[in-house]
Amino acid sequence: AKQSGKNRFHLFDTAHDDAIKVQRESLETIRRALDKGYFVLHYQPKVNMKTGTVIGVEALIRMQHPKRGLLNPIEFLPVIENNPMSIEIGEWVIDTVLTQITQWQQMGLNLQVNTSVNIAAVQLQQPDFAQRLTTLLAAHPGVEPRFLGLEVLETSGLDDVHHVSKIMNACLSLGVEFALDDFGTGYSSLTYLRRLPANLIKIDQSFVRDMLIDNNDLAIVEGVIALAKSFKREVIAEGVESIEHGTALLKLGCNLAQGYGIARPMPASDIPAWINSWQPDARWQI
Ligand code: C2E
Ligand code: MG
Ligand code: MG
Ligand code: MG
C-alpha cells in the first residue's frame, strides 16, 4: 500500500514532474488544507432495516480544494498514509465529530445515534492513542463516549495484533465502540476477528455489490454474517445500493445497513432533517 499511495494520487498533473517533487507538493497542499480549514466531514446514515431505526452516521472526510472543488479521500489520504500528518488529521476528525455531536444534541436530535470515524492504522498504533482519545473526549464533556465509534480498516497495519488489541481494549473501556471496516478484504480477516475486540464487523461493499449476481460473493456475505453471530459481534453491510440488496440481507439475518440505496454521505447540516424524515422502504418488510 505504501507504493500504491503515490500511484493512486491524482491531486496534481504528474506528467512533467518527478515523483518526489509531486509528493512534496502534495504534502504542502495537505498542510495548507489543514491550516486553512479546507477539510470537511460528510456523514452517511446507518440504519436498522428491520426495526426502521437510524442507528448512526459515519463521518467521511473531504477536502474543499480552492480550485478543484470537493475531493474524496482517495485523492489525498494515500499521500499521507505513513506521514505524521495523518495523525494530525485523524485528531481533527475526532475533535470535529465530537463538536458536531454536541451541536446535534443541542438541536434535540435523536440521541441514540452513534457517530463513527475512520481511524488510520498509524493513528491506532500510537502507544498513547487511548490517552489522546481520553483528552479529546474530556474536551467535549457533553458527549457520552458510547456515541462515538471508531472504524479501523482490517487491511493494513494491524499486524501486531497483540499491541493493537491492547490499545483497542483501552479505548473500549472508555466506552467507545469499535468496528472492523472493509471486513473480508485483507489477508488476516479471521485472525483479526478472533483476536481483536471489535463490537462491529462491516461487510465490505465489494462483496455486497455483487451478492445478487455472484454466488461466491453471496457465500462470503453469508459466511461473514454467520461468523459475526458465532463471535457475538454485530454485523453491518456496506454498499447497500438497492431494495434487492436490503431484502436479501434481511433474509440472511443482517439487519444493519449503510449505502447509497439508503442515503449518500451528506453535509452535517442535512443530517437532522434526514433522520427525522427517514422511513424504511415498505418492500423491506418481509
Ligand atoms: P469506508 O470507511 O469503507 O467508507 C465507505 C466508502 O464507500 C465511502 O467513500 C462512501 O462514500 C462509499 N459508499 C457508501 N455507500 C456506498 C454505496 O452504496 N456504493 C458505493 N459504491 N460506495 C458507497 P469515501 O467517503 O470516498 O471514503 C473512502 C474511504 O476513505 C473510506 O472507506 C475510509 O477508508 C477512508 N476515509 C474516509 N474518511 C476518512 C477519515 O476521516 N479518516 C481516515 N483515516 N480514513 C477515511
Ligand atoms: Mg468506514
Ligand atoms: Mg468500509
Ligand atoms: Mg472502504
Side-chain angles (χ1 to χ4, degrees):
K2 291 104 221 150
Q3 281 303 328
S4 66
K6 266 179 215 153
N7 302 332
R8 267 151 56 204
F9 183 61
H10 332 292
L11 253 188
F12 298 91
D13 178 5
T14 60
H16 308 290
D17 283 329
D18 69 290
I20 292 167
K21 185 168 170 233
V22 170
Q23 174 77 3
R24 199 188 58 230
E25 289 177 351
S26 309
L27 288 173
E28 280 165 9
T29 300
I30 291 170
R31 177 76 261 159
R32 222 170 15 251
L34 254 174
D35 295 342
K36 298 203 165 187
Y38 291 161
F39 287 111
V40 286
L41 297 178
H42 280 194
Y43 295 84
Q44 186 181 35
K46 306 185 228 181
V47 302
N48 184 323
M49 298 182 285
K50 193 170 181 183
T51 60
T53 46
V54 179
I55 59 158
V57 295
E58 174 177 5
L60 295 159
I61 197 167
R62 272 89 186 101
M63 187 201 285
Q64 187 65 61
H65 193 279
K67 294 200 186 94
R68 300 191 45 220
L70 202 61
L71 303 182
N72 281 330
I74 187 67
E75 307 206 50
F76 54 87
L77 285 187
V79 185
I80 50 159
E81 202 171 270
N82 295 303
N83 186 287
M85 254 195 285
S86 68
I87 291 173
E88 206 178 325
I89 292 182
E91 298 207 342
W92 175 85
V93 171
I94 295 175
D95 193 53
T96 304
V97 157
L98 292 171
T99 304
Q100 188 58 63
I101 296 173
T102 307
Q103 246 175 55
W104 281 333
Q105 286 181 345
Q106 284 163 356
M107 293 171 68
L109 189 66
N110 178 355
L111 295 182
Q112 296 315 308
V113 165
N114 176 286
T115 304
S116 61
V117 302
N118 293 281
I119 301 292
V122 285
Q123 200 182 350
L124 186 63
Q125 281 163 340
Q126 299 170 95
D128 62 343
F129 179 73
Q131 278 141 270
R132 285 166 175 267
L133 189 60
T134 307
T135 306
L136 285 164
L137 284 163
H140 302 271
V143 181
E144 286 178 48
R146 69 191 167 98
F147 292 127
L148 181 68
L150 304 176
E151 300 191 5
V152 56
L153 286 185
E154 60 105 75
T155 42
S156 70
L158 302 183
D159 306 332
D160 188 349
V161 179
H162 180 69
H163 176 63
V164 170
S165 71
K166 265 199 199 160
I167 296 171
M168 283 174 70
N169 272 317
C171 296
L172 287 164
S173 67
L174 295 174
V176 302
E177 310 256 296
F178 243 108
L180 287 181
D181 206 349
D182 296 5
F183 187 81
T185 57
Y187 295 112
S188 314
S189 304
L190 297 180
T191 302
Y192 293 150
L193 178 62
R194 159 101 172 69
R195 305 262 322 269
L196 296 178
N199 331 64
L200 178 69
I201 307 296
K202 301 191 81 175
I203 309 175
D204 189 64
Q205 57 188 48
S206 63
F207 304 121
V208 175
R209 188 181 59 224
D210 292 336
M211 64 180 280
L212 302 170
I213 52 172
D214 183 330
N215 280 328
N216 293 324
D217 286 327
L218 180 62
I220 290 174
V221 171
E222 283 177 332
V224 173
I225 294 168
L227 273 171
K229 204 169 175 193
S230 310
F231 281 84
K232 301 196 166 53
R233 315 293 174 87
E234 296 245 63
V235 62
I236 183 167
E238 301 190 290
V240 175
E241 294 191 348
S242 67
I243 298 296
E244 289 75 20
H245 281 147
T247 305
L249 287 159
L250 278 168
K251 280 193 185 137
L252 295 175
C254 176
N255 300 334
L256 308 184
Q258 182 179 4
Y260 294 168
I262 294 149
R264 288 185 175 255
M266 60 187 90
S269 54
D270 290 352
I271 285 290
W274 191 90
I275 290 183
N276 289 329
S277 67
W278 184 67
Q279 300 276 357
D281 196 289
R283 286 166 290 179
W284 282 337
Q285 309 300 315
I286 50 167

